[in-house]
């Protein structure tokens, strides 16, 4: 965290997850039914502090974007990310958390 600006938390885990799944900001904006913007997704990835509602909106869009890339069998195994998995400043964030979907991302078609 930048001590000079408490609202900037640095690159978030969400950015790593999006890279793992080869997702761009537009992929989240495109699937969102909640009027998510490119600017909001970029702020989320870069660590600009978001409200709880915005963190949840971004997490929902991320899950939907990934969901569309999975087949039926993979969807059975998929763990839906929640905001505390994605943002280091979210209540309940665990820095030692291991992504349960990492194997799905690397073995998908």
């Amino acid at each position: 965290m930048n001590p000079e600006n408490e609202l900037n938390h640095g690159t978030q885990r969400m950015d790593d997850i999006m890279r793992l799944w080869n997702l761009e900001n537009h992929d989240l904006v495109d699937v969102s039914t909640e009027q998510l913007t490119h600017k909001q997704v970029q702020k989320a990835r870069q660590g600009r502090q978001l409200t709880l509602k915005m963190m949840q909106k971004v997490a929902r869009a991320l899950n939907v974007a990934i969901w569309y890339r999975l087949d039926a069998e993979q969807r059975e195994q998929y763990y839906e990310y929640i905001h505390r998995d994605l943002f280091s400043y979210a209540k309940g964030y665990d820095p030692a958390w291991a992504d349960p979907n990492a194997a799905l991302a690397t073995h998908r078609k």
Side-chain angles (χ1 to χ4, degrees):
M1 185 157 129
N2 182 352
E4 294 176 8
N5 188 346
E6 297 174 4
L7 300 179
N8 288 320
H9 300 276
T11 304
Q12 297 297 296
R13 185 183 289 155
M14 178 188 161
D15 185 64
D16 296 332
I17 291 170
M18 287 182 67
R19 288 180 197 278
L20 178 68
W21 288 95
N22 294 318
L23 291 169
E24 300 294 331
N25 295 357
H26 184 73
D27 296 320
L28 273 63
V29 172
D30 198 36
V31 300
S32 178
T33 60
E34 303 178 84
Q35 298 180 341
L36 188 64
T37 68
H38 291 87
K39 188 174 185 177
Q40 292 167 331
V41 176
Q42 190 62 29
K43 284 182 178 182
R45 291 178 79 166
Q46 293 177 344
R48 179 76 177 166
Q49 187 162 327
L50 305 175
T51 64
L52 175 60
K53 284 187 176 189
M54 183 55 67
M55 286 189 284
Q56 292 170 334
K57 181 191 288 193
V58 170
R60 283 190 294 271
L62 176 66
N63 284 314
V64 171
I66 294 170
W67 185 260
Y68 285 145
R69 293 175 175 228
L70 302 174
D71 62 30
E73 184 179 324
Q74 292 170 322
R75 288 177 179 176
E76 293 284 328
Q77 302 168 19
Y78 181 70
Y79 166 83
E80 286 193 30
Y81 299 108
I82 55 176
H83 66 283
R84 73 169 179 238
D85 301 330
L86 306 175
F87 302 102
S88 63
Y89 53 91
K91 186 177 181 180
Y93 174 80
D94 179 7
W97 178 84
D99 187 350
N101 294 322
L104 280 178
T106 57
H107 292 26
R108 71 183 191 285
K109 295 177 182 176

